Amino acid sequence: MKSTKDIAALLDEPACEHNKKEKSGCAKPKPGASAGGCAFDGAQIALLPISDVAHIVHGPIACAGSSWDNRGTRSSGADLYRIGMTTDLTEQDIVMGRSEKRLFHAIKQAIDSYHPPAVFIYNTCVPALVGDDINAVCKSAEERWGIPVVPIDSAGFYGTKNLGNRIAGDAMVNHVIGTRDPDPLPLTVQRAEIIIHDVNLIGEYNIAGEFWHVLPLFDELGLRILCTLSGDARFREVQTMHKAEVNMMVCSKAMVNVARKLQQKYGTPWFEGSYYGITDTSQSLRDFARVLNDPDLTERTEALILREETRIRKELEPWKARLKGKRVLLFTGGVKSWSVISALQDLGMVVVATGTKKSTEEDKARIRELMGEDTVMIDDGSPRALLKIVHDYKADILIAGGRNMYTALKAKVPFLDINQEREFGYEGYQGMLELVRQLALTIESPVWEAVRAPAPWKIKTSSLVNRENEIVNTADLSSTKPSPEGEGWVRGNSNKEESLFNPPHPSLLPEGEGAARTIESTVLQ
């Protein structure tokens, strides 16, 4: 179990601009508001995309059952990360003191069944409270089976999800990174005319496979990605991160401690960027060339950017005409609180407000730079607050996480999921086409006109009766004659005989005469 001193050390992050501000290990939610993820949740979603590792949750079944696979990351090969593993502790295990034994046997079962290159152990609240020494268990298991067993002490009561991200990154730096050198560059990919540079991406989770939109650009520029911590990553890739020439911090400051410690320990420079939107994607590619200080790479990067921007802007023109001027309420956090704004502005849309509940001071500074000093920043994500802003600022669509979906749908407001539960990837130039397509499909869907119209069953029956009476009263009955069949009435002084009224619904007839007096339309001869 981590001490208060250990947690304070994780919260003390020199690379954060707001490091000197007061911090709280566990934010207190307002009544009626969601609390957000705990430290265990943050550690798990940060490392779960490492797809060939056996991830074991040490704790009661609810910890694994309530949070497993909650980040829609994709893998290009190994899928062991999709198998939920837990020690499933019960009251008997706690009372009899056998939870550490269960963990040891769980590690054995995972190794015997799946033969993973490594096993990750996530400590949760219950074993942390009773004092389980997962470090000792992991060390014994590693000596027994000769496979790395990594302890990740991430009990939920330590703090928030962001703290869990840092705990996960700290475990990688202390136990994994630097334990292996990268493989030699294959002869088939070596190019005599360019220099291949090794780079890392930290905080890139490959949600819905979106990073695969960007990966071909790296291959074309000669940038070999040693590891994306942790989207579509493998354990052997994480081991080699210390050999990169530059690191890119993708997801805001969630795992900034990894970038800072790699710089301190191995001298690797780093920068922060995003791949949402045309402008940010181009800037991130330029930053790689700038930090690597390779003139040839800079020249080739500018040529690639010119080609891709010309292509994508041409393909976006028909969509921009449909979306230009549409008003958006963006409620998300972290890097998306400002990077998605850039993407929407590239489309000519107007962002009326953005959420900053999980954003750092640097994120907020970027938002002000994009939207102006008077921009509306939302910290209260309650349904009442969001719907009030939608109404006050006449937003055409709400872009937020999955937990806000039903708030929007019940209020009959178009909604697009932007968080990790989404099924579509929006990164890179190609991702912009998918983003604009989903925005257009959502805003222009005919369902909104249908659900905003009065429901058919709300039309009063009496209005139908009044309509029938009005037709009969205005008819000139003195000039009518019975039809040949004796049914209904037809106008006698008309050149073309026509029916005066359609038969009423049986429910409009006098009581008791419904089925017996069903009136049919007059058939004119």
Side-chain angles (χ1 to χ4, degrees):
M1 177 176 171
K2 290 188 182 299
S3 65
T4 305
K5 183 178 179 181
D6 296 331
I7 296 174
L10 286 167
L11 290 172
D12 181 20
E13 181 49 63
C16 282
E17 184 179 287
H18 62 297
N19 187 55
K20 300 303 180 183
K21 289 191 174 185
E22 182 180 356
K23 297 183 178 68
S24 173
C26 186
K28 296 180 180 179
K30 296 179 180 179
S34 57
C38 64
F40 159 69
D41 184 38
Q44 186 191 39
I45 65 175
L47 300 180
L48 193 61
I50 302 176
S51 56
D52 60 346
V53 167
H55 301 266
I56 300 178
V57 178
H58 182 42
I61 186 63
C63 290
S66 298
S67 60
W68 196 258
D69 200 18
N70 59 357
R71 184 174 286 271
T73 184
R74 298 290 183 268
S75 170
S76 58
D79 59 358
L80 183 57
Y81 74 111
R82 292 188 176 278
I83 300 177
M85 304 181 193
T86 178
T87 51
D88 187 18
L89 298 182
T90 64
E91 293 89 343
Q92 292 292 331
D93 298 319
I94 302 303
V95 172
M96 302 304 295
R98 59 189 182 206
S99 57
E100 289 182 351
K101 191 174 183 179
R102 283 187 67 91
L103 175 59
F104 193 81
H105 282 283
I107 296 171
K108 177 182 183 299
Q109 183 178 353
I111 293 173
D112 291 344
S113 300
Y114 302 104
H115 309 287
V119 179
F120 287 0
I121 307 300
Y122 299 87
N123 201 25
T124 58
C125 294
V126 173
L129 285 171
V130 300
D132 281 5
D133 191 348
I134 65 167
N135 291 313
V137 175
C138 291
K139 184 178 180 180
S140 297
E142 186 171 334
E143 293 174 352
R144 174 73 177 272
W145 289 287
I147 290 178
V149 182
V150 181
I152 303 160
D153 189 5
S154 55
F157 60 80
Y158 289 164
T160 60
K161 184 161 66 173
N162 278 349
L163 177 61
N165 293 152
R166 295 188 182 186
I167 291 173
D170 202 53
M172 295 300 99
V173 172
N174 294 335
H175 300 283
V176 181
I177 297 174
T179 57
R180 175 182 169 272
D181 287 338
D183 296 328
L185 191 67
L187 295 176
T188 54
V189 300
Q190 292 185 19
R191 289 178 279 180
E193 68 276 11
I194 66 173
I195 300 174
I196 303 296
H197 296 280
D198 292 337
V199 300
N200 290 324
L201 281 83
I202 301 172
E204 168 55 57
Y205 298 109
N206 196 35
I207 304 300
E210 62 187 6
F211 185 66
W212 294 332
H213 294 318
V214 185
L215 192 57
L217 305 178
F218 282 83
D219 293 338
E220 183 175 342
L221 293 174
L223 299 176
R224 179 172 70 154
I225 300 178
L226 293 181
C227 181
T228 56
L229 189 65
S230 57
D232 195 20
R234 308 294 186 268
F235 181 74
R236 61 187 290 110
E237 296 172 353
V238 182
Q239 292 177 294
T240 66
M241 289 182 68
H242 62 295
K243 289 294 186 177
E245 298 175 53
V246 60
N247 294 321
M248 176 179 174
M249 189 73 236
V250 180
C251 190
S252 191
K253 294 295 188 289
M255 298 179 74
V256 67
N257 56 327
V258 177
R260 177 179 58 82
K261 290 184 177 182
L262 289 180
Q263 185 176 34
Q264 291 178 347
K265 194 171 182 179
Y266 303 104
T268 311
W270 65 278
F271 68 93
E272 184 180 2
S274 167
Y275 291 108
Y276 291 110
I278 298 173
T279 304
D280 286 347
T281 299
S282 298
Q283 186 59 47
S284 295
L285 295 176
R286 288 190 178 101
D287 285 340
F288 269 115
R290 173 182 57 81
V291 177
L292 289 168
N293 195 23
D294 184 343
D296 179 62
L297 176 61
T298 301
E299 182 180 347
R300 289 185 289 107
T301 299
E302 292 299 330
L304 180 144
I305 290 173
L306 178 61
R307 184 196 73 202
E308 289 297 313
E309 285 193 359
T310 303
R311 175 186 66 84
I312 199 64
R313 292 189 190 281
K314 182 178 180 181
E315 295 183 26
L316 288 175
E317 281 303 320
W319 298 96
K320 289 176 67 174
R322 295 161 62 176
L323 294 175
K324 186 176 181 180
K326 297 293 184 182
R327 301 173 67 81
V328 179
L329 169 57
L330 177 65
F331 185 73
T332 181
V335 68
K336 291 191 292 294
S337 62
W338 55 266
S339 60
V340 177
I341 293 175
S342 175
L344 296 173
Q345 290 177 340
D346 286 340
L347 300 173
M349 305 182 77
V350 179
V351 181
V352 298
T354 183
T356 56
K357 187 174 183 180
K358 299 177 183 177
S359 302
T360 66
E361 293 299 316
E362 292 179 355
D363 293 330
K364 294 177 182 178
R366 288 175 180 262
I367 292 171
R368 295 187 187 98
E369 182 180 346
L370 290 168
M371 298 177 60
E373 291 295 329
D374 298 330
T375 183
V376 179
M377 298 188 189
I378 313 167
D379 191 55
D380 182 6
S382 65
R384 179 185 294 273
L386 289 179
L387 295 180
K388 185 177 187 302
I389 292 177
V390 169
H391 179 267
D392 292 346
Y393 290 88
K394 296 180 174 58
D396 295 300
I397 186 172
L398 171 62
I399 302 179
R403 71 177 64 183
N404 301 112
M405 178 174 64
Y406 295 105
T407 297
L409 297 184
K410 288 178 181 179
K412 304 172 186 177
V413 176
F415 173 82
L416 183 66
D417 190 353
I418 196 66
N419 281 2
Q420 63 263 20
E421 301 90 354
R422 65 183 182 272
E423 296 295 330
F424 305 96
Y426 304 135
E427 278 190 9
Y429 301 114
Q430 201 62 29
M432 281 293 292
L433 281 178
E434 188 60 48
L435 175 61
V436 74
R437 177 174 174 270
Q438 293 302 321
L439 285 168
L441 286 174
T442 302
I443 294 175
E444 298 174 357
S445 173
V447 71
W448 307 118
E449 182 180 353
V451 297
R452 290 167 181 169
W457 55 86
K458 290 187 177 181
I459 301 176
K460 295 182 179 179
T461 306
S462 59
S463 64
L464 297 177
V465 178
N466 293 335
R467 179 174 176 272
E468 298 295 345
N469 291 337
E470 182 180 355
I471 295 175
V472 174
N473 292 336
T474 56
D476 185 5
L477 299 181
S478 61
S479 61
T480 59
K481 62 181 180 179
S483 66
E485 290 81 6
E487 301 175 1
W489 295 88
V490 295
R491 192 176 300 277
N493 58 355
S494 173
N495 293 330
K496 185 177 179 181
E497 296 177 334
E498 58 183 357
S499 174
L500 285 178
F501 58 88
N502 292 325
H505 190 276
S507 63
L508 302 180
L509 296 174
E511 185 176 356
E513 301 181 9
R517 295 189 54 196
T518 301
I519 301 177
E520 299 178 354
S521 299
T522 302
V523 180
L524 301 179
Q525 299 296 331

